[in-house]
Amino acid sequence: MSPSPDPTAPVSLVTGATRGIGREVSRQLAGLGHTVLLTGRSPEAVEWAAEETAGQTGGEVRPLRLDVTDDDSVAAAVAEVAHRYRRLDVLVNNAGIHYDTWQRAVTADLAVVREAAETNLYGPWRMAIAFAPLLRASAHARLVNVSSESGSLATMGGGTPAYSASKAGLNALTRMLSDELRGDGVLVNAVCPGWVATDMGGPGGRPVAEGAASVVYAATLPDDGPTGGFFRDGRPLPW
Ligand code: NAP
């Protein structure tokens, strides 16, 4: 019989964790002793990824079906976390789509722009609204929005319009949430993982472990850590 999980272990939920950066963030958090809710939209993929990640780390990794664009799916996940743990310590909004290198803003297909926003901006926003009560119930809550330097207005040029606009919106959301949740002790930050060799990033990017570590930094901040910031590898990026 396996030992029962440590009830004092931080409870972390990672979206889009069936592959890429989200999956590696789950592995690293489990390695640090967190109870990890490894979530994704395919039930089979979350089962398989959670089983493999638990095997790699010896940690408590639970599969949970969650599509960030679907109100019912998010509500069901909230109910499950509330029933099982009564709090959420770390929310990592990682799920992302449509790095549209094939588009320009001046000729963009707005259907693609809307789709990107649905997952990359409204998805994290929906998650933040739904999980805010459980984050407030934690004594050390952290909310991490996995963004991109593509969303930085300070350095923005043309190209990748759907992706860049959705990440700029996500950065704005980060600032608003950090301010509104500061009084509850929830540290809210945006992170760029850098160019990472995943399905989205393609070959040539840095190893997934390095990109994920950039995210784990913001997920494991001390209580006196920053909030309302934008970081890569723990160093501030211009908004
Ligand atoms: P990836 O390999 O394409 O993985 C994306 C993950 O998001 C997959 O698990 C995918 O699940 C999931 N997902 C997509 N739509 C979803 C939805 N509606 N609900 C739940 N999960 C959903 O991408 P990645 O490179 O790991 O990127 C992770 C995050 O890092 C993204 O936010 C991305 O914008 C950001 N980022 C990446 C890079 C890079 O170079 N890779 C650079 C900067 C920022 P399915 O398997 O079901 O599709």
Side-chain angles (χ1 to χ4, degrees):
M1 205 168 85
S2 59
S4 47
D6 174 5
T8 65
V11 178
S12 295
L13 187 153
V14 184
T15 68
T18 50
R19 55 195 168 92
I21 294 166
R23 182 157 172 180
E24 175 61 16
V25 167
S26 301
R27 194 188 69 78
Q28 292 186 14
L29 289 175
L32 292 171
H34 291 219
T35 294
V36 176
L37 304 168
L38 187 155
T39 80
R41 51 188 171 178
S42 153
E44 296 79 24
V46 286
E47 287 285 345
W48 189 75
E51 194 178 318
E52 195 175 88
T53 307
Q56 288 166 343
T57 58
E60 180 74 7
V61 184
R62 290 182 170 272
L64 185 61
R65 200 200 153 263
L66 200 167
D67 180 337
V68 301
T69 66
D70 180 338
D71 285 335
D72 291 343
S73 170
V74 172
V78 169
E80 170 71 14
V81 177
H83 170 73
R84 211 176 259 281
Y85 306 104
R86 295 190 174 80
R87 71 178 201 282
L88 183 64
D89 299 301
V90 178
L91 171 58
V92 180
N93 279 320
N94 166 78
I97 60 166
H98 286 351
Y99 185 55
D100 54 336
T101 50
W102 63 93
Q103 294 211 98
R104 308 288 294 171
V106 71
T107 48
D109 177 349
L110 290 181
V112 175
V113 177
R114 282 195 195 95
E115 256 177 32
E118 201 54 60
T119 298
N120 299 354
L121 172 58
Y122 304 131
W125 204 332
R126 180 179 287 106
M127 289 292 292
I129 292 168
F131 277 96
L134 289 171
L135 289 168
R136 288 196 183 98
S138 161
H140 313 280
R142 312 287 178 252
L143 194 167
V144 186
N145 289 325
V146 181
S147 184
S148 166
E149 198 173 10
S150 305
S152 168
L153 295 179
T155 55
M156 194 173 292
T160 62
Y163 188 77
S164 297
S166 70
K167 294 296 191 183
L170 182 62
N171 286 356
L173 176 68
T174 304
R175 296 289 293 187
M176 291 185 275
L177 291 176
S178 69
D179 193 50
E180 294 177 13
L181 293 172
R182 188 188 302 268
D184 297 309
V186 184
L187 302 183
V188 183
N189 291 288
V191 164
C192 173
W195 175 30
V196 182
T198 61
D199 293 340
M200 178 185 282
R206 65 178 179 163
V208 180
E210 287 180 20
S214 192
V215 177
V216 168
Y217 158 79
T220 56
L221 287 169
D223 287 346
D224 61 354
T227 189
F230 186 24
F231 298 97
R232 183 193 297 134
D233 298 334
R235 287 186 292 278
L237 285 175
W239 290 106

